[in-house]
Amino acid sequence: MLKEYDKAWAKYQERLSLLPLPLTTWEFYNLPRSEQKEFNHVQEKWVQKINYLEITKKKKVTILITDANFKIVFVSSNFVKMTGYDVKEVIGQSPKMFQGKATSIQTRKKIRMAIEKRIPFQESILNYKKDGTTYLCKIEAFPKFDKNGNFINYIAFESAA
């Protein structure tokens, strides 16, 4: 009986015009869970927590988090689509890497002043993608503190206009 089944299955497969491809990665399955887990790890010490799924699904924004030294420690996966940079290329870098000649000096100063004062800010800035093209980046950023009031991170919700 099994031999007949195998023959019938083989005959059926031959009639299909499908090309089977090997599975090379499970990232498509694991990405949302690992990304959310990584985000939750970053926010462990924050006084005010953020619901990652709610933000990414409802607001449809890219999330970028810097550490106390303003080096990028986390970006959401849709960041690649917005900037052309791979996540691995930006971790440990400064968000200034997206600025260029046409980026407004006044807007840079406003952002720098808010960061120095550790206050929230909302700005639109001309940024550069990896391929050199520009895009208007709307940024809504907030400082994050631990229970002792120590500054830990800045979290930015960004979208391309």
Side-chain angles (χ1 to χ4, degrees), residues 84-114:
Y85 284 97
D86 187 62
V87 173
K88 294 173 187 170
E89 292 177 280
V90 299
I91 298 296
Q93 301 293 321
S94 168
K96 291 179 184 179
M97 71 181 283
F98 308 113
Q99 300 171 4
K101 291 179 184 179
T103 304
S104 167
I105 294 171
Q106 287 180 322
T107 305
R108 285 181 182 180
K109 285 181 182 179
K110 287 179 187 176
I111 292 172
R112 190 176 332 116
M113 285 176 32

Side-chain angles (χ1 to χ4, degrees), residues 38-48 50 64-74 115 118-121 141-146 149-156:
E38 186 179 344
F39 179 84
N40 288 337
H41 176 72
V42 171
Q43 74 167 339
E44 279 178 353
K45 295 180 182 178
W46 297 354
V47 173
Q48 296 175 325
I50 294 173
L64 183 143
I65 302 175
T66 61
D67 62 12
N69 298 317
F70 302 102
K71 300 295 181 192
I72 299 169
V73 294
F74 175 86
I115 288 171
R118 308 285 195 263
I119 58 174
F121 66 88
F142 303 90
K144 291 302 196 176
F145 302 92
D146 67 10
N150 298 317
F151 170 70
I152 300 176
N153 301 100
Y154 244 101
I155 182 167

Side-chain angles (χ1 to χ4, degrees), residues 4 8 19 32 54 76 78 81 93 97 108 139-140 151:
E4 291 173 13
L19 177 62
E54 185 178 306
S76 55
N78 53 356
K81 190 175 183 180
Q93 301 293 321
M97 71 181 283
R108 285 181 182 180
I139 305 170
E140 188 176 359
F151 170 70

Side-chain angles (χ1 to χ4, degrees), residues 4-18:
E4 291 173 13
Y5 174 80
D6 289 342
K7 286 180 188 178
W9 182 253
K11 193 173 185 178
Y12 171 76
Q13 291 293 321
E14 287 173 10
R15 281 189 262 165
L16 292 175
S17 59
L18 299 175

